[in-house]
Amino acid sequence: MNIAVIGSQWGDEGKGKLIDILSQDKDLTVRYQGGNNAGHTVVVGDKEYIFHLLPSAILHKGKVCVIANGVVIDPKALIKEMEDLKKQRIVIAPRKLKISGRCHVVMPYHRILDGLRESKRKNKIGTTGRGIGPCYADKVARCGVRMVDLLNPRILKSKLEDNLREKNEIFRKVYGKRGFPFKAMYSEYLAYGKKLRPYVCDTALFINEAIDQKKSILFEGAQGTFLDIDFGTYPFVTSSNSTVGGICSGSGVAPTKIDKTIACVKAYTTRVGEGPFPTEFSNTLMNEIRKKGNEFGATTGRPRRCGWFDSVLVRYSVIINGVAELAIMKLDVLDELPKIKICIGYKYKGKTFKEFPMDFEVLSNAKPVYEEVDGWMTPTSHVGGYKNLPKNARKYIERLEQLLKVGVKYISMGPKRDEIIFR
Ligand code: GDP
Ligand code: IMO
Ligand code: MG
């Protein structure tokens, strides 16, 4: 069975942990969008790994990981990630990692432009500063550099000459900055190509051949539904389709080959960066939950904004991703709260919204309508099975199921591999 794990809030739902667990039963794990703006945490014993470009199944022996065409790759960051693992005696052989030649490459000018564009905006997005937006913009503008170009000196030369001519002019005339010299960048990126060449192939063919051989695939979503370029809280979003549709264009796999979508959500809500967040906590709870949940960005270390679970938001994600099962992560973070709120609607100018609004003004000013439930005030990390969860924790989960109209299959109550319930 081929399954997809999709973040169903604003990212950082705990996808890394879930994917590490679910990929044990899969042959291939495929990243299909985003880049090293992602930070997916996998905890093994007392070791913590944070993956930015490598799929979260990379630690499993005998499993194949794929970085498919929809991902944007910063080769310097990817090589560093591989070398950091090598220092821990985890060597990634070319038979274990396949990289699409069609992946677009994050270039130094993308990273710099990301910061410069932010500095010019009054309404900042709060990007990760990894050059993701400018790289996807160049892909659409048809001036991007692809992984396959790093393997062909003639193509790289001609693309880079064209691009630097334009970019350097923008740097100078718009931002008053010096441009980039061609030669250093050309040789640096050729060297990356040489290093990564053994991993590069046509991953669309590779994945489809695996499917024909009845191998099973796990599609690893990065970011989350409300950071999606089409369905997210635009413009406070990332630049790729982090919803399920991104799998088809981002990996070359047809929709008929995706058997099931699992929505990964936190038992509450977080968001890094700017943008509307209706259920955001005020100071006291913010500090308490941020501390308890260790809510600091896995990529940038920025403190994450925290808030109550928003069922209006997640229900929308369930609809557009065709979600079959839910995974509720970080339940343990709520263990000490006497009362817990769930957002069931929004109010704006006397009108009640039961569906997720499109209008930025509504979303930014809407007051959440809450339902309050009793907390369980008991540690949950080591309870074992679902029946052993405190009664109020089960009631909370079952209420979320009712509101979201989909069943909860996985409940995570700690960062470790065994702190999870399969229901
Ligand atoms: P991702 O981007 O969706 O993979 O999530 P991140 O790795 O950015 O953030 C999730 C954080 O929560 C990581 O530090 C995980 O180790 C941690 N985590 C995952 N599941 C649980 C859980 O059930 N309980 C607790 N307390 N932490 C968790
Ligand atoms: P994972 O995969 C949380 C956010 C940034 C910013 C916006 C745009 O770990 O869940 P970008 O650098 O993509 O142009 O930034 O998107 N963002 C994430 N937030 N988790 C992520 O990834 C994110 N990737 C991007 O904070 O608000
Ligand atoms: Mg993350």
Side-chain angles (χ1 to χ4, degrees):
M1 184 182 272
N2 305 325
I3 63 171
V5 170
I6 304 283
S8 288
Q9 292 154 324
W10 278 291
D12 302 328
E13 295 88 351
K15 300 178 292 294
K17 166 172 171 167
L18 186 66
I19 288 156
D20 168 59
I21 293 170
L22 299 182
S23 60
Q24 287 171 350
D25 298 331
K26 300 289 165 199
D27 298 298
L28 263 64
T29 298
V30 180
R31 272 282 308 267
Y32 54 89
Q33 46 72 231
N36 62 327
N37 48 353
H40 296 178
T41 313
V42 172
V43 176
V44 185
D46 55 7
K47 269 200 163 160
E48 183 186 79
Y49 301 86
I50 298 175
F51 300 116
H52 300 288
L53 278 161
L54 292 171
S56 300
I58 200 78
L59 300 173
H60 301 313
K61 290 207 173 82
K63 305 290 178 187
V64 178
C65 288
V66 179
I67 303 178
N69 58 282
V71 175
V72 291
I73 297 182
D74 182 333
K76 190 175 177 181
L78 176 60
I79 291 168
K80 181 175 184 308
E81 218 174 313
M82 291 164 79
E83 279 172 358
D84 285 349
L85 282 182
K86 201 169 164 189
K87 282 183 203 143
Q88 303 175 60
R89 299 213 194 98
I90 302 168
V91 178
I92 302 168
R95 66 172 184 283
K96 188 171 176 65
L97 178 67
K98 306 287 173 193
I99 301 171
S100 171
R102 293 189 175 90
C103 287
H104 278 250
V105 177
V106 178
M107 304 297 288
Y109 45 80
H110 293 139
R111 283 194 300 265
I112 307 281
L113 267 178
D114 198 353
L116 288 174
R117 274 187 191 160
E118 280 278 86
S119 71
K120 286 249 184 215
R121 291 176 72 107
K122 203 166 120 227
N123 294 311
K124 299 196 189 313
I125 296 169
T127 73
T128 59
R130 300 295 189 267
I132 306 299
C135 182
Y136 276 115
D138 275 1
K139 172 178 176 174
V140 177
R142 295 162 295 183
C143 61
V145 174
R146 302 191 302 169
M147 282 306 290
V148 68
D149 303 332
L150 304 188
L151 313 182
N152 185 330
R154 285 179 306 282
I155 301 265
L156 183 63
K157 182 168 181 283
S158 110
K159 282 198 170 180
L160 211 50
E161 277 170 352
D162 261 356
N163 285 351
L164 283 183
R165 200 174 307 119
E166 188 203 11
K167 303 291 178 201
N168 285 349
E169 207 164 321
I170 294 173
F171 275 107
R172 278 195 298 271
K173 293 187 179 160
V174 179
Y175 298 105
K177 302 272 174 199
R178 285 226 322 259
F180 290 91
F182 166 83
K183 219 172 147 193
M185 199 183 290
Y186 177 63
S187 43
E188 182 185 347
Y189 279 74
L190 269 186
Y192 294 145
K194 209 168 167 191
K195 261 207 163 127
L196 293 171
R197 178 188 284 273
Y199 302 91
V200 176
C201 65
D202 185 330
T203 56
L205 288 180
F206 182 83
I207 303 168
N208 280 291
E209 271 165 27
I211 293 174
D212 287 345
Q213 292 163 13
K214 305 280 175 252
K215 289 189 174 154
S216 54
I217 322 287
L218 171 55
F219 294 98
E220 172 172 0
Q223 287 81 52
T225 299
F226 297 93
L227 290 173
D228 180 281
I229 186 77
D230 284 281
F231 293 104
T233 43
Y234 193 91
F236 302 95
V237 293
T238 192
S239 301
S240 64
N241 281 116
S242 45
T243 45
V244 75
I247 296 175
C248 300
S249 57
S251 72
V253 172
T256 46
K257 306 273 169 70
I258 306 161
D259 300 303
K260 187 166 75 179
T261 304
I262 301 171
C264 187
V265 294
K266 265 177 197 166
Y268 47 103
T269 314
T270 63
R271 163 160 218 176
V272 216
E274 304 305 319
F277 183 174
T279 64
E280 189 167 9
F281 292 138
S282 54
N283 273 347
T284 322
L285 258 177
M286 178 77 84
N287 292 335
E288 188 182 330
I289 296 297
R290 184 179 287 155
K291 196 160 161 232
K292 183 90 208 301
N294 192 23
E295 294 296 355
F296 295 89
T299 296
T300 57
R302 289 177 294 175
R304 294 177 182 146
R305 299 156 67 192
C306 307
W308 295 116
F309 191 91
D310 187 339
S311 74
V312 181
L313 189 95
V314 178
R315 173 68 193 147
Y316 194 76
S317 174
V318 166
I319 294 169
I320 63 167
N321 291 303
V323 168
E325 290 171 354
L326 280 171
I328 297 201
M329 314 299 283
K330 304 192 89 159
L331 187 75
D332 55 299
V333 177
L334 305 183
D335 282 352
E336 284 158 29
L337 296 179
K339 295 278 179 196
I340 297 170
K341 288 183 182 173
I342 307 169
C343 171
I344 53 165
Y346 307 128
K347 269 214 157 102
Y348 180 65
K349 289 193 174 166
K351 200 175 156 205
T352 303
F353 290 79
K354 289 280 178 191
E355 312 286 352
F356 189 69
M358 275 185 285
D359 189 318
F360 176 71
E361 203 173 272
V362 177
L363 198 58
S364 307
N365 297 297
K367 293 275 164 288
V369 179
Y370 287 119
E371 190 175 286
E372 195 173 70
V373 298
D374 289 328
W376 43 95
M377 312 282 282
T378 320
T380 51
S381 282
H382 303 289
V383 297
Y386 185 71
K387 283 196 200 117
N388 302 335
L389 272 180
K391 191 166 158 237
N392 284 348
R394 279 183 278 135
K395 274 172 107 174
Y396 180 60
I397 286 164
E398 286 158 27
R399 182 63 186 137
L400 296 186
E401 283 183 318
Q402 274 178 351
L403 288 166
L404 302 172
K405 303 192 173 77
V406 61
V408 173
K409 172 87 181 184
Y410 310 94
I411 301 149
S412 172
M413 320 82 69
K416 297 194 179 134
R417 274 179 176 165
D418 59 356
E419 291 167 333
I420 193 160
I421 293 171
F422 294 77
R423 199 155 152 238

